[in-house]
Amino acid sequence: MNVDIQIEGNAIIAAVHGRVDTISAQDFEKAVSGALNGEEKLLVFDFSNLEYISSAGLRVILSTAKTLKGKGGEVRLAATTGSVKKVFEISGFFSMFKNYETRDDALAET
């Protein structure tokens, strides 16, 4: 699992690669929480290269969203496909977070 963090305007983009499972969830959390130190209020998770996510990974997303909401910010999901998309559908994440076809779509909505 690898997380590439980029800042675009007032947004943080976290592009997640590989698998987020029980073992890698702690590293996932460290990478994401380390990116929340700035003034940005929008975090877009780009899942175009995510192969798998476990409940431990889902908890990281929920925790991150709670932190950002406390700062008046939000989390958006982008490019969820295949089995990862099914996990988000079954877990109800699409009712909690806006989901976009691409990272650019998520960044374009203001």
Short mmCIF file of all heavy atoms in Angstrom, two decimals, residues 36 38-43 61-75 97:
data_model
loop_
_atom_site.label_atom_id
_atom_site.label_comp_id
_atom_site.label_asym_id
_atom_site.label_seq_id
_atom_site.Cartn_x
_atom_site.Cartn_y
_atom_site.Cartn_z
N LEU A 36 -3.16 16.44 7.09
CA LEU A 36 -4.22 17.32 7.59
C LEU A 36 -3.70 18.49 8.41
O LEU A 36 -4.50 19.18 9.05
CB LEU A 36 -5.22 16.52 8.43
CG LEU A 36 -5.95 15.39 7.72
CD1 LEU A 36 -6.89 14.69 8.69
CD2 LEU A 36 -6.70 15.91 6.51
N GLY A 38 -2.35 21.30 7.36
CA GLY A 38 -2.46 22.60 6.70
C GLY A 38 -3.83 23.22 6.86
O GLY A 38 -4.65 22.79 7.68
N GLU A 39 -4.09 24.21 6.05
CA GLU A 39 -5.35 24.95 6.10
C GLU A 39 -6.42 24.36 5.17
O GLU A 39 -7.56 24.81 5.17
CB GLU A 39 -5.11 26.42 5.71
CG GLU A 39 -4.19 27.15 6.66
CD GLU A 39 -4.77 27.25 8.07
OE1 GLU A 39 -5.98 27.53 8.20
OE2 GLU A 39 -4.01 27.02 9.03
N GLU A 40 -6.04 23.38 4.35
CA GLU A 40 -6.99 22.81 3.39
C GLU A 40 -8.17 22.18 4.11
O GLU A 40 -8.02 21.53 5.14
CB GLU A 40 -6.28 21.75 2.53
CG GLU A 40 -5.18 22.29 1.65
CD GLU A 40 -3.86 22.46 2.39
OE1 GLU A 40 -3.71 21.92 3.50
OE2 GLU A 40 -2.99 23.15 1.86
N LYS A 41 -9.35 22.38 3.52
CA LYS A 41 -10.58 21.88 4.14
C LYS A 41 -11.24 20.77 3.33
O LYS A 41 -12.27 20.25 3.71
CB LYS A 41 -11.57 23.03 4.32
CG LYS A 41 -11.04 24.17 5.14
CD LYS A 41 -11.87 24.36 6.36
CE LYS A 41 -11.46 25.64 7.06
NZ LYS A 41 -10.78 25.43 8.26
N LEU A 42 -10.63 20.41 2.21
CA LEU A 42 -11.19 19.36 1.36
C LEU A 42 -10.13 18.27 1.19
O LEU A 42 -8.98 18.55 0.85
CB LEU A 42 -11.58 19.92 -0.01
CG LEU A 42 -12.03 18.91 -1.06
CD1 LEU A 42 -13.27 18.15 -0.61
CD2 LEU A 42 -12.27 19.61 -2.39
N LEU A 43 -10.55 17.03 1.42
CA LEU A 43 -9.69 15.88 1.17
C LEU A 43 -10.39 14.98 0.18
O LEU A 43 -11.52 14.53 0.42
CB LEU A 43 -9.41 15.10 2.46
CG LEU A 43 -8.67 13.78 2.31
CD1 LEU A 43 -7.28 13.98 1.70
CD2 LEU A 43 -8.54 13.09 3.64
N ILE A 61 -10.98 6.20 7.03
CA ILE A 61 -11.72 7.21 6.27
C ILE A 61 -12.73 7.91 7.17
O ILE A 61 -12.85 9.14 7.16
CB ILE A 61 -12.41 6.58 5.05
CG1 ILE A 61 -11.35 6.04 4.07
CG2 ILE A 61 -13.32 7.59 4.35
CD1 ILE A 61 -11.90 5.15 2.98
N LEU A 62 -13.45 7.14 7.98
CA LEU A 62 -14.43 7.74 8.91
C LEU A 62 -13.77 8.67 9.92
O LEU A 62 -14.25 9.77 10.18
CB LEU A 62 -15.20 6.65 9.64
CG LEU A 62 -16.26 5.91 8.84
CD1 LEU A 62 -16.82 4.75 9.65
CD2 LEU A 62 -17.37 6.84 8.41
N SER A 63 -12.67 8.23 10.47
CA SER A 63 -11.93 9.05 11.44
C SER A 63 -11.42 10.34 10.81
O SER A 63 -11.52 11.42 11.41
CB SER A 63 -10.77 8.23 12.01
OG SER A 63 -9.95 9.01 12.82
N THR A 64 -10.90 10.22 9.61
CA THR A 64 -10.41 11.40 8.88
C THR A 64 -11.55 12.37 8.60
O THR A 64 -11.39 13.59 8.77
CB THR A 64 -9.74 10.96 7.57
OG1 THR A 64 -8.69 10.05 7.86
CG2 THR A 64 -9.21 12.14 6.79
N ALA A 65 -12.68 11.85 8.19
CA ALA A 65 -13.85 12.69 7.91
C ALA A 65 -14.30 13.43 9.17
O ALA A 65 -14.66 14.61 9.11
CB ALA A 65 -14.98 11.86 7.34
N LYS A 66 -14.28 12.74 10.28
CA LYS A 66 -14.68 13.36 11.55
C LYS A 66 -13.73 14.50 11.91
O LYS A 66 -14.16 15.58 12.32
CB LYS A 66 -14.69 12.32 12.67
CG LYS A 66 -15.17 12.83 13.99
CD LYS A 66 -15.23 11.72 15.02
CE LYS A 66 -15.69 12.28 16.36
NZ LYS A 66 -15.72 11.24 17.39
N THR A 67 -12.45 14.29 11.73
CA THR A 67 -11.44 15.32 12.01
C THR A 67 -11.67 16.54 11.11
O THR A 67 -11.67 17.68 11.57
CB THR A 67 -10.02 14.76 11.79
OG1 THR A 67 -9.81 13.68 12.71
CG2 THR A 67 -8.97 15.83 12.01
N LEU A 68 -11.85 16.29 9.82
CA LEU A 68 -12.05 17.40 8.88
C LEU A 68 -13.37 18.13 9.14
O LEU A 68 -13.43 19.35 9.02
CB LEU A 68 -12.02 16.90 7.44
CG LEU A 68 -10.68 16.98 6.74
CD1 LEU A 68 -10.78 16.41 5.34
CD2 LEU A 68 -10.16 18.38 6.69
N LYS A 69 -14.40 17.39 9.47
CA LYS A 69 -15.70 18.02 9.76
C LYS A 69 -15.58 18.97 10.93
O LYS A 69 -16.18 20.04 10.94
CB LYS A 69 -16.76 16.96 10.03
CG LYS A 69 -18.15 17.53 10.14
CD LYS A 69 -19.19 16.44 10.26
CE LYS A 69 -20.57 17.07 10.31
NZ LYS A 69 -21.61 16.03 10.41
N GLY A 70 -14.76 18.62 11.92
CA GLY A 70 -14.52 19.48 13.06
C GLY A 70 -13.84 20.79 12.69
O GLY A 70 -13.93 21.79 13.40
N LYS A 71 -13.16 20.79 11.54
CA LYS A 71 -12.49 21.99 11.03
C LYS A 71 -13.33 22.69 9.97
O LYS A 71 -12.86 23.61 9.31
CB LYS A 71 -11.15 21.62 10.41
CG LYS A 71 -10.14 21.02 11.35
CD LYS A 71 -8.89 20.64 10.57
CE LYS A 71 -7.81 20.10 11.46
NZ LYS A 71 -6.59 19.78 10.71
N GLY A 72 -14.57 22.20 9.77
CA GLY A 72 -15.42 22.78 8.74
C GLY A 72 -15.13 22.25 7.35
O GLY A 72 -15.51 22.87 6.36
N GLY A 73 -14.46 21.11 7.25
CA GLY A 73 -14.09 20.55 5.97
C GLY A 73 -14.89 19.32 5.61
O GLY A 73 -15.85 18.96 6.29
N GLU A 74 -14.47 18.66 4.51
CA GLU A 74 -15.18 17.47 4.07
C GLU A 74 -14.25 16.51 3.34
O GLU A 74 -13.18 16.88 2.86
CB GLU A 74 -16.36 17.81 3.17
CG GLU A 74 -15.97 18.29 1.79
CD GLU A 74 -17.17 18.45 0.86
OE1 GLU A 74 -17.90 17.47 0.64
OE2 GLU A 74 -17.33 19.58 0.35
N VAL A 75 -14.70 15.27 3.25
CA VAL A 75 -14.02 14.21 2.52
C VAL A 75 -14.89 13.86 1.32
O VAL A 75 -16.11 13.77 1.42
CB VAL A 75 -13.82 12.96 3.40
CG1 VAL A 75 -13.45 11.74 2.57
CG2 VAL A 75 -12.77 13.22 4.46
N PHE A 97 -20.68 9.93 2.01
CA PHE A 97 -19.69 10.72 1.29
C PHE A 97 -20.09 10.86 -0.17
O PHE A 97 -20.62 9.92 -0.76
CB PHE A 97 -18.30 10.07 1.35
CG PHE A 97 -17.80 9.85 2.73
CD1 PHE A 97 -17.83 8.58 3.30
CD2 PHE A 97 -17.28 10.89 3.47
CE1 PHE A 97 -17.36 8.36 4.59
CE2 PHE A 97 -16.81 10.69 4.76
CZ PHE A 97 -16.86 9.42 5.32
#
